[in-house]
């Protein structure tokens, strides 16, 4: 073998080694704890849980406000509507209890208004 042939053989070996793709590098294994922290931060679970809890208690607070303060005040202002939250009427043998529905309707309207105001304030303060 001549010197040129040896050089060609070496060059072929170099070319073959350059053409082979290196084995894929596997990402480092994450522990369950780091995966859990990533999940919480990615989907903002803590914020969602806090908002749910606050919303639940806000709903209870507004329902008590409507049932215990607003409806009796409305009953005082409008003659004949005493104890509006427990209002019922009869049609034939059926009893329709509109008081609970009225409480739920007013509670929903007040909660919707409070959420609307909270969103407006959050936008004004550039809170996402």
């Amino acid at each position: 073998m001549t010197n040129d042939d040896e050089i060609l053989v070496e060059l072929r070996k170099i070319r073959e080694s350059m053409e082979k793709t290196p084995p894929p590098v596997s990402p480092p294994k994450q522990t369950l704890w780091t995966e859990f922290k990533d999940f919480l931060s990615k989907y903002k679970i803590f914020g969602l849980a806090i908002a749910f809890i606050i919303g639940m208690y806000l709903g209870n607070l507004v329902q008590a406000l409507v049932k215990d303060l607003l409806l009796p005040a409305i009953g005082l202002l409008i003659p004949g509507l005493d104890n509006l939250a427990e209002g019922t009427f009869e049609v034939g043998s059926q009893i329709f209890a509109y008081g609970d529905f009225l409480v739920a309707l007013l509670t929903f309207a007040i909660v919707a208004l409070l959420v609307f105001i909270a969103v407006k304030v959050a936008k004004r303060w550039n809170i996402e």
Side-chain angles (χ1 to χ4, degrees):
M1 223 163 139
T2 66
N3 197 17
D4 289 339
D5 291 334
E6 291 175 15
I7 292 174
L8 283 175
V9 169
E10 288 297 318
L11 285 174
R12 281 189 191 114
K13 288 180 185 176
I14 292 172
R15 183 178 63 196
E16 287 174 6
S17 67
M18 296 291 281
E19 289 176 355
K20 292 181 185 175
T21 59
V25 178
S26 62
K29 288 211 170 204
Q30 289 186 334
T31 64
L32 185 64
W33 178 248
T34 56
E35 285 184 45
F36 182 65
K37 288 191 310 187
D38 290 343
F39 169 76
L40 291 178
S41 65
K42 183 178 180 182
Y43 296 107
K44 298 179 170 100
I45 299 298
F46 282 132
L48 181 62
I50 290 169
F52 176 77
I53 291 168
I54 289 175
M56 185 175 63
Y57 284 104
L58 175 66
N60 289 341
L61 177 69
V62 172
Q63 185 173 7
L65 171 75
V66 169
K67 194 170 193 173
D68 298 333
L69 296 176
L70 291 180
L71 289 179
I74 292 171
L76 287 175
L77 294 174
I78 302 172
L81 291 181
D82 304 355
N83 207 359
L84 194 57
E86 296 175 11
T88 60
F89 67 91
E90 288 186 44
V91 175
S93 64
Q94 299 297 319
I95 298 174
F96 292 89
Y98 62 87
D100 287 335
F101 175 74
L102 185 60
V103 170
L105 182 66
L106 285 174
T107 302
F108 173 77
I110 292 171
V111 169
L113 178 66
L114 291 176
V115 168
F116 174 75
I117 291 170
V119 168
K120 294 288 273 183
V121 169
K123 281 184 181 180
R124 183 170 291 151
W125 290 348
N126 293 326
I127 298 173
E128 290 184 23

